[in-house]
Amino acid sequence: FKKIGTSELLNQSWSNPKLQYNSANVINMIKRTDKVAFWVSTTILLAGEETKKRADTLRRFIRIAQHLHKLQDFNTLMGVLVGLSTSSINRLKQTWALIDEENMELYKSYEALMSPQSSFRAYRDHIIHVNPPCVPFLAVYLSDLTFIDEGNSDVIDGLINIDKRKMIYEVIEKLQLYQSDQGYVGLKRLEPLANYLEALPRFEEKEQYKVSLSLEARVEGGAEQTTEKKTK
């Protein structure tokens, strides 16, 4: 996050194939969120055929989300939430049924916080009260910059549109506030865990869904079938 330069946030270069070389760090952060999401769902699916093991893994990710919230790392928090809400995980009714009320309420509270409803209103209302260190959810600010860029002309009556430049500056300034902080003092890199979290082994979406179906089959006759082996 701290590597993102001001120039990377201009002209929507992160979404323009011809200009993406100008926004390498922005693109890396976007991809990182996607990697986290696919890693979360893959890890749950690979927990095994036993429903309880999958539920234990799912519950652990809810607790990881709790720690991310305390650390104010909203970008990774969103990645975890997306992973928990993928079709491959969301359809595992038997697995979700084993999640206790406390953890479900915790999960729902983070879902509400990071909801895209009303242009991420809950997140926006929350983060204005957050002090560094913090890793904001980058996509919100990229969306704002896109809206400003596309909704306002660069030039008005032959003159540079200063108001547009001011709005862009105000968005970038919010990100720079968190970039300028010293960061998470006291956190140490722990190997081999750090290397694992950089790699985040994961399946692609189609493969995940195949595994999901093999664990809990589609609804037939009003009930989910399962491939879980019964112990005698």
Side-chain angles (χ1 to χ4, degrees), residues 39-87:
W39 167 68
V40 168
S41 49
T42 297
T43 303
I44 294 170
L45 294 170
L46 291 181
E49 293 185 350
E50 293 183 26
T51 308
K52 183 180 181 301
K53 289 184 178 180
R54 294 196 300 277
D56 287 343
T57 305
L58 197 159
R59 190 180 300 109
R60 190 172 297 116
F61 275 117
I62 293 175
R63 290 300 176 174
I64 288 174
Q66 182 181 36
H67 286 293
L68 290 168
H69 182 256
K70 289 179 179 178
L71 287 170
Q72 301 182 149
D73 182 352
F74 298 103
N75 204 73
T76 308
L77 172 60
M78 178 56 90
V80 172
L81 294 175
V82 171
L84 293 175
S85 65
T86 59
S87 58

Side-chain angles (χ1 to χ4, degrees), residues 6-141:
T6 302
S7 62
E8 296 187 55
L9 299 167
L10 302 175
N11 305 315
Q12 301 181 58
S13 56
W14 62 87
S15 61
N16 187 332
K18 294 182 179 180
L19 298 176
Q20 285 183 345
Y21 66 90
N22 286 327
S23 297
N25 294 307
V26 170
I27 293 171
N28 285 340
M29 195 163 180
I30 293 171
K31 289 181 177 179
R32 176 67 182 179
T33 307
D34 294 338
K35 286 174 66 175
V36 170
F38 279 103
W39 167 68
V40 168
S41 49
T42 297
T43 303
I44 294 170
L45 294 170
L46 291 181
E49 293 185 350
E50 293 183 26
T51 308
K52 183 180 181 301
K53 289 184 178 180
R54 294 196 300 277
D56 287 343
T57 305
L58 197 159
R59 190 180 300 109
R60 190 172 297 116
F61 275 117
I62 293 175
R63 290 300 176 174
I64 288 174
Q66 182 181 36
H67 286 293
L68 290 168
H69 182 256
K70 289 179 179 178
L71 287 170
Q72 301 182 149
D73 182 352
F74 298 103
N75 204 73
T76 308
L77 172 60
M78 178 56 90
V80 172
L81 294 175
V82 171
L84 293 175
S85 65
T86 59
S87 58
S88 298
I89 301 302
N90 188 56
R91 63 172 301 280
L92 299 176
K93 307 303 181 184
Q94 296 174 32
T95 303
W96 282 101
L98 295 183
I99 304 301
D100 57 279
E101 184 177 352
E102 179 184 352
N103 278 290
M104 280 303 299
E105 288 182 356
L106 197 61
Y107 171 59
K108 289 178 181 178
S109 71
Y110 297 140
E111 270 196 321
L113 173 63
M114 303 304 294
S115 170
Q117 187 174 0
S118 300
S119 188
F120 290 93
R121 175 52 52 195
Y123 166 78
R124 293 178 191 274
D125 290 344
H126 177 76
I127 201 168
I128 59 176
H129 303 293
V130 169
N131 294 316
C134 166
V135 180
F137 179 40
L138 184 62
V140 169
Y141 305 91

